[in-house]
Structure formats: structure tokens, C-alpha cells
Amino acid sequence: DTEVTQTPKHLVMGMTNKKSLKCEQHMGHRAMYWYKQKAKKPPELMFVYSYEKLSINESVPSRFSPECPNSSLLNLHLHALQPEDSALYLCASSQVGFRNTEAFFGQGTRLTVV
Amino acid sequence: QKEVEQDPGPLSVPEGAIVSLNCTYSNSAFQYFMWYRQYSRKGPELLMYTYSSGNKEDGRFTAQVDKSSKYISLFIRDSQPSDSATYLCAMSGGSNYKLTFGKGTLLTVNP
């Protein structure tokens, strides 16, 4: 099973709202990622967790707050977003180790900020 | 110079054609190479993963890596309308597991 599950599939939120995106995988992967994808662009890396610790933050604004409660779950907490933050948010996971770094993506959460 | 270059197309071919998609890269640290297929409004689906120079075949798909030329390719044989999607190359290297993507090539296979 190479499935990464993301919820919700769609989310509309106001600029003063607080919401969370959730991601779950049961492949035993110990690296998990958040990517942001705008229309007709490739995914852009936001955060990487390795062994449940944040290893990469690509200078993402603090209105995005990641959390990795355990090896299977990854959350992205959203607060005071701007309309330009509207995008497809993708979660991915991979193994950690030599030659095992292929990443599997979820179907994404399509976020609209109004 | 961007780290990964990929012609965005669009590319339109008739059903049954052989499709060739390519990426070039400049970072010698890249060791792992992936091709993803992404349908509109969906997440990327991993098609092929390679980490050495040479060819890797999976059904109608063949991935080719030439590290000396810093050039990777994906070939699709007997293309089908269901292959119509955006194809993204991605690569990584070192210890940080960060994927660097090409811009993606939009492919349309016409019945």
C-alpha cells in the first residue's frame, strides 16, 4: 500500500480563521513533507520532518505551523492566511536512508482563502 | 541557470505514439531521479524511480538516466488518452531528502 491520505480534500477559510490540514501514512516512512502547489507550477517544498523532528523549513511564514505528533501523522496549522495562500497543499512521505528516498504524495487539500 | 530544466510543452501526440519527455540538471549532487504524473487537480503519482545511470523499464514506461550528461528521460510507448497529464521530473541528493522539480510537461494524447 503506497497511500498517503490527506484531509480535508477542500477547505475554504476566512483570513481570520484557524484551521488544520491533516496527513496520514502507514508505510512506515520516517520522512514527511509539506509542499504547496499553485496552478500550472511544480510543487514547492515548505517543510520536511525526519524522525518526527523538523529538519527543513523553507523560510515559510509563521502563519503556517507544522506539527508531527507521531511517525504516521503530519499536520499543518493555518492562521491568519492571505488570499495569495490559496493553493493545493500536498503531503508526501518517504523512507529515510540510502536509495530509498522516493516520495509518495497524497491527493492534496485544495485551500481557498477568502 | 535553474537546477532542473524541463520543457513545459504543451506536447500533443496521437494515440499509439511514442512520447519522449526530458529534463536536464546542473547539480552534480543529485543522485535520485523520479518521474511523476499529475492529473488536473490531483496529487502527483510516482511513475518511476531510479538512482543509477542506465534504463529502467516498467510496462509502457522506460526511464533513462545519463549522469555524465546530467540528462534524464521518460519514454511512454503506445501512448493512450489516459496518459494525458502533466509529467514532472524530480531529483534529490545528499542527506536532506529535498525534491527539486522541473516545471512539468503538459502532455495530451489525442484519440
Side-chain angles (χ1 to χ4, degrees):
Chain A
D1 182 13
T2 56
E3 190 168 321
V4 176
T5 304
Q6 290 187 244
T7 55
K9 288 186 170 50
H10 302 275
L11 179 62
V12 179
M13 62 184 290
M15 290 188 284
T16 58
N17 290 160
K18 286 184 180 181
K19 296 286 185 182
S20 297
L21 309 185
K22 296 186 184 302
C23 175
E24 188 169 6
Q25 58 88 15
H26 295 288
M27 294 178 277
H29 291 169
R30 302 302 296 275
M32 296 187 76
Y33 313 74
W34 282 114
Y35 283 83
K36 172 183 176 180
Q37 187 176 27
K38 302 282 265 185
K40 300 188 189 302
K41 299 288 187 183
E44 297 175 22
L45 182 66
M46 300 175 72
F47 303 103
V48 180
Y49 274 83
S50 177
Y51 294 103
E52 296 87 67
K53 292 193 188 318
L54 184 64
S55 60
I56 296 178
N57 175 342
E58 292 284 281
S59 303
V60 179
S62 60
R63 56 185 184 270
F64 295 92
S65 175
E67 179 195 19
C68 189
N70 60 54
S71 60
S72 300
L73 294 174
L74 185 66
N75 299 321
L76 186 63
H77 303 296
L78 314 172
H79 172 57
L81 294 193
Q82 303 296 309
E84 58 265 29
D85 295 322
S86 299
L88 181 67
Y89 288 84
L90 295 162
C91 173
S93 71
S94 72
Q95 294 188 46
V96 173
F98 183 59
R99 294 184 178 177
N100 289 317
T101 58
E102 67 265 46
F104 296 90
F105 284 82
Q107 290 300 300
T109 294
R110 185 157 299 279
L111 174 67
T112 303
V113 181
V114 297
Chain B
Q1 181 187 14
K2 289 189 182 297
E3 280 192 295
V4 180
E5 300 273 7
Q6 182 179 9
D7 185 343
L11 181 61
S12 182
V13 302
E15 183 175 354
I18 296 174
V19 176
S20 173
L21 304 166
N22 311 294
C23 288
T24 59
Y25 63 95
S26 58
N27 189 342
S28 299
F30 289 144
Q31 302 175 52
Y32 312 111
F33 305 92
M34 284 141 275
W35 285 97
Y36 289 88
R37 176 174 63 193
Q38 187 171 25
Y39 293 112
S40 181
R41 305 175 76 83
K42 300 289 187 184
E45 173 193 2
L46 181 66
L47 285 177
M48 300 290 281
Y49 167 71
T50 58
Y51 51 80
S52 57
S53 284
N55 293 353
K56 180 178 180 180
E57 189 173 319
D58 185 0
R60 295 185 296 112
F61 299 94
T62 299
Q64 194 172 77
V65 173
D66 183 346
K67 288 188 178 181
S68 62
S69 301
K70 296 189 177 66
Y71 187 89
I72 68 170
S73 300
L74 178 71
F75 298 95
I76 307 174
R77 289 183 299 281
D78 188 24
S79 56
Q80 302 295 309
S82 58
D83 294 327
S84 299
T86 295
Y87 289 79
L88 294 152
C89 66
M91 26 198 103
S92 66
S95 60
N96 64 15
Y97 313 109
K98 175 180 174 178
L99 285 179
T100 301
F101 284 89
K103 286 187 175 181
T105 300
L106 177 60
L107 171 68
T108 300
V109 181
N110 301 299

